[in-house]
Amino acid sequence: MAARYGSILLGAPGSGKGTQAKVLSKELGIPHISTGDILRAEVNSGSPLGNKVKEIMSSGKLVSDDLITEIVEKRFEQPDVKRGFILDGFPRTTAQAESLERILSNQNLGSPQVILLEVAREALIERLTGRLTCGKCGQAYHRKLNPPKSTGVCDVCGAALVERKDDSLETVVRRLDVYENETRPLIDYYAQKGRLKRLSGDQEMGQITGAIRKIFEG
Ligand code: AMP
Protein backbone atom coordinates (compact mmCIF):
# COMPACT_ATOMS: atom_id res chain seq x y z
CA MET A 1 0.00 0.00 0.00
CA ALA A 2 1.25 3.50 -0.80
CA ALA A 3 2.54 5.42 2.22
CA ARG A 4 -0.27 7.80 3.08
CA TYR A 5 1.93 10.69 4.12
CA GLY A 6 4.84 10.05 1.77
CA SER A 7 6.18 13.46 0.88
CA ILE A 8 9.09 15.49 -0.40
CA LEU A 9 9.73 19.01 0.83
CA LEU A 10 11.40 20.87 -1.98
CA GLY A 11 12.96 24.31 -1.69
CA ALA A 12 16.22 26.22 -1.48
CA PRO A 13 18.48 25.99 1.56
CA GLY A 14 16.87 28.18 4.24
CA SER A 15 13.33 27.88 2.87
CA GLY A 16 12.18 26.18 6.10
CA LYS A 17 12.07 22.55 4.95
CA GLY A 18 13.88 21.22 8.00
CA THR A 19 11.81 23.25 10.47
CA GLN A 20 8.53 22.12 8.91
CA ALA A 21 9.66 18.53 8.57
CA LYS A 22 10.57 18.36 12.28
CA VAL A 23 7.15 19.65 13.39
CA LEU A 24 5.16 17.50 10.96
CA SER A 25 7.15 14.38 11.69
CA LYS A 26 6.24 14.77 15.40
CA GLU A 27 2.59 15.61 14.72
CA LEU A 28 2.05 12.74 12.29
CA GLY A 29 4.40 10.18 13.84
CA ILE A 30 6.31 9.57 10.63
CA PRO A 31 10.07 9.77 10.06
CA HIS A 32 11.81 12.96 8.95
CA ILE A 33 14.52 11.88 6.52
CA SER A 34 17.08 14.65 6.10
CA THR A 35 20.09 13.64 4.04
CA GLY A 36 21.95 16.70 5.38
CA ASP A 37 21.35 15.52 8.99
CA ILE A 38 22.45 11.98 8.10
CA LEU A 39 25.66 13.27 6.53
CA ARG A 40 26.36 15.69 9.42
CA ALA A 41 26.00 12.80 11.89
CA GLU A 42 28.58 10.85 9.84
CA VAL A 43 30.95 13.83 9.85
CA ASN A 44 30.56 14.31 13.63
CA SER A 45 31.20 10.63 14.31
CA GLY A 46 34.41 10.74 12.26
CA SER A 47 33.37 7.70 10.21
CA PRO A 48 35.12 6.97 6.87
CA LEU A 49 31.99 8.19 5.05
CA GLY A 50 31.97 11.35 7.19
CA ASN A 51 35.63 12.04 6.39
CA LYS A 52 34.93 11.55 2.72
CA VAL A 53 32.08 14.10 2.56
CA LYS A 54 33.33 16.66 5.12
CA GLU A 55 35.16 18.95 2.67
CA ILE A 56 32.44 18.78 0.03
CA MET A 57 29.79 19.74 2.58
CA SER A 58 31.69 22.65 4.05
CA SER A 59 32.32 23.99 0.53
CA GLY A 60 28.57 23.98 -0.20
CA LYS A 61 28.79 21.55 -3.12
CA LEU A 62 26.75 18.38 -3.50
CA VAL A 63 28.05 14.93 -2.67
CA SER A 64 27.76 12.39 -5.49
CA ASP A 65 24.37 11.08 -6.59
CA ASP A 66 25.54 7.47 -6.14
CA LEU A 67 26.67 7.99 -2.59
CA ILE A 68 23.55 9.84 -1.44
CA THR A 69 21.23 7.43 -3.24
CA GLU A 70 22.86 4.48 -1.49
CA ILE A 71 22.26 6.18 1.88
CA VAL A 72 18.59 6.85 1.08
CA GLU A 73 18.04 3.36 -0.28
CA LYS A 74 19.34 1.90 3.00
CA ARG A 75 17.13 4.24 5.02
CA PHE A 76 14.06 3.09 3.08
CA GLU A 77 14.76 -0.52 4.11
CA GLN A 78 13.60 0.39 7.63
CA PRO A 79 9.95 -0.45 8.28
CA ASP A 80 9.02 2.93 9.80
CA VAL A 81 8.60 4.42 6.31
CA LYS A 82 5.54 2.30 5.57
CA ARG A 83 3.05 4.78 7.02
CA GLY A 84 4.81 7.75 5.55
CA PHE A 85 7.97 9.84 5.51
CA ILE A 86 9.04 13.41 4.97
CA LEU A 87 12.06 13.79 2.73
CA ASP A 88 14.08 16.96 3.36
CA GLY A 89 17.07 17.72 1.14
CA PHE A 90 16.58 14.72 -1.16
CA PRO A 91 16.20 14.54 -4.11
CA ARG A 92 18.42 17.43 -5.16
CA THR A 93 19.13 16.45 -8.79
CA THR A 94 17.08 14.85 -11.55
CA ALA A 95 19.21 11.68 -11.29
CA GLN A 96 18.33 11.48 -7.58
CA ALA A 97 14.63 11.98 -8.35
CA GLU A 98 14.77 9.09 -10.77
CA SER A 99 16.53 6.86 -8.24
CA LEU A 100 13.86 7.78 -5.69
CA GLU A 101 11.10 6.67 -8.07
CA ARG A 102 12.85 3.31 -8.33
CA ILE A 103 13.34 2.96 -4.56
CA LEU A 104 9.70 3.83 -3.80
CA SER A 105 8.39 1.56 -6.51
CA ASN A 106 10.53 -1.37 -5.25
CA GLN A 107 9.07 -0.87 -1.77
CA ASN A 108 5.52 -0.34 -3.08
CA LEU A 109 5.35 3.07 -1.46
CA GLY A 110 3.58 4.87 -4.31
CA SER A 111 4.22 8.44 -5.43
CA PRO A 112 5.01 11.03 -2.79
CA GLN A 113 3.42 14.48 -2.64
CA VAL A 114 5.88 17.21 -3.52
CA ILE A 115 5.60 20.52 -1.70
CA LEU A 116 7.70 23.46 -2.82
CA LEU A 117 8.47 26.18 -0.27
CA GLU A 118 9.20 29.41 -2.13
CA VAL A 119 11.28 32.18 -0.54
CA ALA A 120 13.08 35.12 -2.22
CA ARG A 121 16.88 34.88 -2.49
CA GLU A 122 17.59 37.96 -0.30
CA ALA A 123 15.46 36.52 2.49
CA LEU A 124 17.24 33.16 2.17
CA ILE A 125 20.63 34.83 2.56
CA GLU A 126 19.45 36.68 5.66
CA ARG A 127 17.95 33.54 7.18
CA LEU A 128 20.94 31.28 6.52
CA THR A 129 23.71 33.63 7.62
CA GLY A 130 22.14 34.11 11.08
CA ARG A 131 21.06 30.55 11.65
CA LEU A 132 21.83 28.74 14.91
CA THR A 133 20.94 25.15 15.82
CA CYS A 134 20.94 23.30 19.11
CA GLY A 135 23.77 20.77 19.03
CA LYS A 136 21.69 18.36 21.12
CA CYS A 137 18.00 18.51 20.16
CA GLY A 138 18.24 20.22 16.75
CA GLN A 139 15.93 23.15 17.62
CA ALA A 140 16.49 25.99 15.14
CA TYR A 141 17.06 29.68 15.99
CA HIS A 142 18.17 32.86 14.25
CA ARG A 143 20.39 35.55 15.75
CA LYS A 144 18.02 38.33 14.66
CA LEU A 145 14.74 36.79 13.48
CA ASN A 146 14.24 34.18 16.22
CA PRO A 147 16.85 34.56 18.97
CA PRO A 148 17.01 32.19 21.96
CA LYS A 149 15.99 33.68 25.34
CA SER A 150 19.55 33.41 26.56
CA THR A 151 22.43 33.97 24.12
CA GLY A 152 23.98 30.77 22.81
CA VAL A 153 21.73 28.45 24.83
CA CYS A 154 18.81 26.30 23.64
CA ASP A 155 15.42 27.31 25.19
CA VAL A 156 14.19 23.72 24.93
CA CYS A 157 17.01 21.63 26.37
CA GLY A 158 19.65 24.09 27.63
CA ALA A 159 22.44 22.75 25.39
CA ALA A 160 24.83 25.02 23.46
CA LEU A 161 23.79 26.46 20.10
CA VAL A 162 26.08 25.98 17.12
CA GLU A 163 26.41 27.64 13.73
CA ARG A 164 26.68 25.34 10.73
CA LYS A 165 30.05 25.55 8.98
CA ASP A 166 28.31 25.98 5.63
CA ASP A 167 26.25 28.99 6.82
CA SER A 168 29.06 31.52 6.16
CA LEU A 169 28.10 34.13 3.54
CA GLU A 170 30.47 32.80 0.86
CA THR A 171 29.22 29.22 1.23
CA VAL A 172 25.59 30.28 1.46
CA VAL A 173 25.88 32.04 -1.92
CA ARG A 174 27.47 28.90 -3.41
CA ARG A 175 24.71 26.68 -1.97
CA LEU A 176 22.03 28.93 -3.46
CA ASP A 177 23.78 28.81 -6.84
CA VAL A 178 23.99 25.01 -6.62
CA TYR A 179 20.26 24.96 -5.84
CA GLU A 180 19.50 27.12 -8.91
CA ASN A 181 21.58 24.96 -11.24
CA GLU A 182 21.06 21.44 -9.92
CA THR A 183 17.82 21.37 -7.94
CA ARG A 184 15.52 23.95 -9.54
CA PRO A 185 14.95 21.66 -12.58
CA LEU A 186 13.08 19.34 -10.19
CA ILE A 187 10.29 21.90 -9.97
CA ASP A 188 9.44 21.28 -13.63
CA TYR A 189 10.13 17.58 -13.27
CA TYR A 190 7.42 17.20 -10.61
CA ALA A 191 5.09 19.85 -12.09
CA GLN A 192 5.01 17.87 -15.34
CA LYS A 193 4.01 14.79 -13.41
CA GLY A 194 1.19 16.83 -11.83
CA ARG A 195 2.59 16.25 -8.36
CA LEU A 196 3.85 19.69 -7.33
CA LYS A 197 2.14 21.96 -4.80
CA ARG A 198 3.57 25.44 -4.29
CA LEU A 199 3.50 27.28 -0.97
CA SER A 200 4.92 30.63 0.03
CA GLY A 201 7.63 29.96 2.60
CA ASP A 202 7.39 33.59 3.60
CA GLN A 203 4.53 33.14 6.08
CA GLU A 204 4.41 32.56 9.80
CA MET A 205 5.73 29.09 10.63
CA GLY A 206 2.44 27.71 11.98
CA GLN A 207 0.56 28.86 8.90
CA ILE A 208 2.92 26.94 6.65
CA THR A 209 2.57 23.82 8.81
CA GLY A 210 -1.23 24.12 8.55
CA ALA A 211 -1.07 24.54 4.78
CA ILE A 212 1.15 21.46 4.39
CA ARG A 213 -1.17 19.39 6.58
CA LYS A 214 -4.10 20.43 4.43
CA ILE A 215 -2.25 19.18 1.35
CA PHE A 216 -1.43 15.92 3.16
CA GLU A 217 -5.06 15.37 4.11
CA GLY A 218 -5.91 16.04 0.46
P1 AMP B 1 21.29 20.36 3.89
O1 AMP B 1 21.32 20.19 5.38
O2 AMP B 1 20.13 19.65 3.26
O3 AMP B 1 21.40 21.80 3.47
O4 AMP B 1 22.60 19.61 3.33
C1 AMP B 1 23.89 20.01 3.72
C2 AMP B 1 24.91 19.51 2.70
O5 AMP B 1 24.89 18.09 2.65
C3 AMP B 1 24.68 19.96 1.26
O6 AMP B 1 25.18 21.26 0.99
C4 AMP B 1 25.44 18.87 0.50
O7 AMP B 1 26.83 19.04 0.57
C5 AMP B 1 25.09 17.62 1.30
N1 AMP B 1 23.83 17.00 0.85
C6 AMP B 1 22.66 16.85 1.56
N2 AMP B 1 21.72 16.25 0.84
C7 AMP B 1 22.27 16.00 -0.38
C8 AMP B 1 21.78 15.43 -1.60
N3 AMP B 1 20.53 14.98 -1.69
N4 AMP B 1 22.65 15.35 -2.65
C9 AMP B 1 23.91 15.79 -2.56
N5 AMP B 1 24.42 16.37 -1.47
C10 AMP B 1 23.62 16.48 -0.37
Side-chain angles (χ1 to χ4, degrees):
M1 199 181 74
R4 169 135 192 248
Y5 295 114
S7 57
I8 298 169
L9 294 186
L10 198 61
S15 58
K17 303 185 300 293
T19 307
Q20 291 300 333
K22 275 193 190 76
V23 175
L24 288 157
S25 141
K26 242 195 207 149
E27 282 186 15
L28 300 169
I30 55 174
H32 165 201
I33 304 177
S34 156
T35 43
D37 284 353
I38 295 172
L39 292 175
R40 273 184 292 279
E42 293 287 342
V43 171
N44 291 337
S45 76
S47 70
L49 170 63
N51 291 332
K52 194 169 158 187
V53 298
K54 196 172 172 175
E55 293 302 313
I56 305 174
M57 287 180 76
S58 50
S59 75
K61 293 185 191 148
L62 296 184
V63 309
S64 78
D65 287 335
D66 285 351
L67 195 151
I68 204 80
T69 300
E70 200 184 313
I71 290 173
V72 172
E73 190 152 22
K74 262 212 195 107
R75 180 63 186 82
F76 270 88
E77 283 167 10
Q78 292 180 35
D80 62 347
V81 296
K82 298 285 175 223
R83 265 193 69 237
F85 51 85
I86 304 174
L87 277 168
D88 157 20
F90 183 93
R92 257 177 157 99
T93 64
T94 310
Q96 291 179 17
E98 275 159 5
S99 300
L100 179 65
E101 298 278 308
R102 176 180 54 77
I103 294 169
L104 296 179
S105 142
N106 287 346
Q107 306 264 3
N108 278 323
L109 289 171
S111 301
Q113 318 225 37
V114 185
I115 296 159
L116 172 67
L117 295 178
E118 296 183 290
V119 177
R121 187 176 168 100
E122 292 67 40
L124 292 170
I125 292 177
E126 186 181 26
R127 285 184 186 189
L128 289 166
T129 51
R131 192 155 79 161
L132 295 167
T133 316
C134 173
K136 198 170 161 204
C137 74
Q139 180 70 30
Y141 299 88
H142 188 280
R143 275 184 220 288
K144 247 169 54 192
L145 308 173
N146 175 28
K149 289 197 184 87
S150 165
T151 309
V153 179
C154 178
D155 295 351
V156 180
C157 73
L161 301 181
V162 288
E163 185 172 341
R164 273 173 53 167
K165 267 218 173 99
D166 56 357
D167 279 345
S168 69
L169 179 60
E170 189 194 347
T171 311
V172 161
V173 168
R174 161 138 352 108
R175 285 162 65 207
L176 293 177
D177 289 344
V178 167
Y179 173 78
E180 288 302 322
N181 296 329
E182 311 271 347
T183 310
R184 189 173 276 286
L186 290 183
I187 298 175
D188 276 349
Y189 176 92
Y190 287 117
Q192 272 165 22
K193 290 179 186 286
R195 301 228 305 265
L196 186 81
K197 297 267 175 15
R198 293 168 184 267
L199 283 182
S200 164
D202 201 8
Q203 312 172 62
E204 196 260 312
M205 201 193 112
Q207 270 179 321
I208 303 174
T209 311
I212 298 177
R213 281 205 69 152
K214 241 191 192 158
I215 295 172
F216 280 2
E217 306 300 341

